[in-house]
Amino acid sequence: MSYFFSSESVSEGHPDKVCDAISDGILDAIFKKDTNARVACETFVTTGLVLVGGEITTDAYIEVQDIVRDIVRRIGYTKAEYKFDSESCSVLNAIHSQSPDIAMGVDTGGAGDQGIMFGYACDQTPELMPMPIMYAHKLMKKLTQIRKKNNGLMPYLRPDSKSQVTIEYDENNKPLRVDTVVISTQHDANIKQSTIKRDVIEHVIKKAIPEKYIDKKTKFFVNPTGKFEIGGPHGDSGLTGRKIIVDTYGGWAPHGGGAFSGKDPSKVDRSATYAARHIAKNIVAAKLAKECLVQLAYAIGVAEPVSIFVDTKRTGVIPDTEISKMIIKEVDLTPNGIIKRLKLRAPIYEATSAYGHFGRNEFSWEQLNLVTKFKKYK
């Protein structure tokens, strides 16, 4: 029997993603001056307001207000009619230093907190990611590209948008077809719903999703409420770290619970999740399994993970316990080891804040540089 699975994505103009971009933008600005900084930056946005807070320990000086306004401007909130724009929004700064109780454990190379982190990979797509989340991201990227090109193709687009993709699978977990696509995009006033739907189907959906997966039964829902003029931080308040399922695997694989944006890599919420994805992707690429879930667990102040769990869903060519032993032998999973291997003390983070942290080859944790090592265990 076939079954259906859905995942969603949101654009960089979504209120929560505005917050993720600001938090990561501040992290990047600090890392350009101080790569040893401790950063845990949180952002809240609403009508006409950006509130930045959190715990940051650094000798570097950055101009928070300038960084915030630049990011909001690049996202596309540049008009007063949006009720939230880069020039007029208030920016409040409530940042203070990291707790010395936490620093005491991190200074010795230990994890910045306890927690569980998951990494996943499968052979559904060339990116070794689940298909629903990859196509949901591609739709949002395409819509944003059209909006930012400003070439007259869809001049009525505004920054806030969301997508959702439902894939039909066969009993062997093979993707068969796209069953449903949902896109809601913010738009200017006095634009006909029929125009928006036509343009989105022709210029976004059919460009982002391969024709072979779309058939006569595929359903398209574009702005299904009929209107989406009010959006962004004026339509809904936003908060850093509220889109963790969008950031990872779209619900196909578990999430440990920790958010990523605004955190330096001493926080294993971020760095160990990247490491787990790196390992899982290389296991699948090495043909040790068709899919692979890796769980890591840490204790605050302790360098080595307290547990490593592997589940290949019975697709592994060797037992999962043997893969776990391979990981322990071949990969340094201490925070310092992860940071060094994946080159995480660098200003790379704002780029991760929208369209997913995984399945994008520009990031070090997506490299297939462990495949040769892992293939020895086949």
Side-chain angles (χ1 to χ4, degrees), residues 1-5 120 122-125 129-132 167-176 252 290-291 312-315:
M1 293 288 291
S2 65
Y3 65 94
F4 300 85
F5 194 89
Y120 179 80
C122 62
D123 62 359
Q124 292 182 26
T125 64
M129 286 283 288
M131 186 175 286
I167 302 293
E168 182 178 1
Y169 291 83
D170 68 14
E171 63 273 12
N172 297 314
N173 299 323
K174 179 183 177 181
L176 298 175
W252 185 274
K290 292 176 68 64
E291 65 175 306
T312 62
K313 311 295 182 183
R314 300 182 180 179
T315 68

Side-chain angles (χ1 to χ4, degrees), residues 4 75 142 175 180 209 255 358:
F4 300 85
I75 288 172
K142 187 62 180 177
T180 307
I209 299 177
H255 191 293
F358 307 126

